[in-house]
Amino acid sequence: MRADPAYRKITADEFLAMDFGTDKRFELEDGVIVMMAGGTEAHAWVQLNILSWLRHRLRGTSCRPYGPDMAMQISETEIRYPDISIYCDQPPRDELADRRKLTDPHVVIEVLSPSTTQLDQGTKLEEYKSIPSIRTIAFVDPINEMCRTVERQGPYSWMDSIFSGQSGVVVPSLDLLIPHAEIFAHD
């Protein structure tokens, strides 16, 4: 953040009201607007694979998956756009039509890239843990075809599991296993 005393941090509500008028993507970090890096083909493909699988699997339940266009408010000065988030027990979709953020996310999945791995598994992990409604945080590495799942065990305790091979992403709170073959499918 700039050390300029004249600079005023932007609030989450102010940020969400802005129209950037561009195809660039931004997040709000400690009241400062930060441009996000674009993803790779592997990142986009894995994200689409997971979203497609979740949309089919969660249809007819009280949970809905969202892609990176749905804002997640971390605090009064923090807005993130996770690659994938799942929200449960939300109002009917027609009541959400104009919303730019939802409340009480249940699951967050970030698809890693070399430029975001440290931020995603460091700062963002701690931010996501601070949201009481989140039960599962997962990180998917499309390059090494590995997954990491961090599952809430209690108010302040988490179980961190790194899987490799054919394990996929386990989401115990929703009784789901997103299969490795579906996550990393190439067709």
Side-chain angles (χ1 to χ4, degrees), residues 20-35:
F20 291 100
T22 177
D23 61 348
K24 303 276 189 273
R25 300 181 50 85
F26 301 89
E27 288 185 330
L28 186 64
E29 292 182 13
D30 192 28
V32 177
I33 299 170
V34 178
M35 187 166 61

Side-chain angles (χ1 to χ4, degrees), residues 1-10 30-32:
M1 164 137 176
R2 291 178 35 189
D4 184 348
Y7 182 81
R8 181 183 68 80
K9 291 182 181 182
I10 297 168
D30 192 28
V32 177

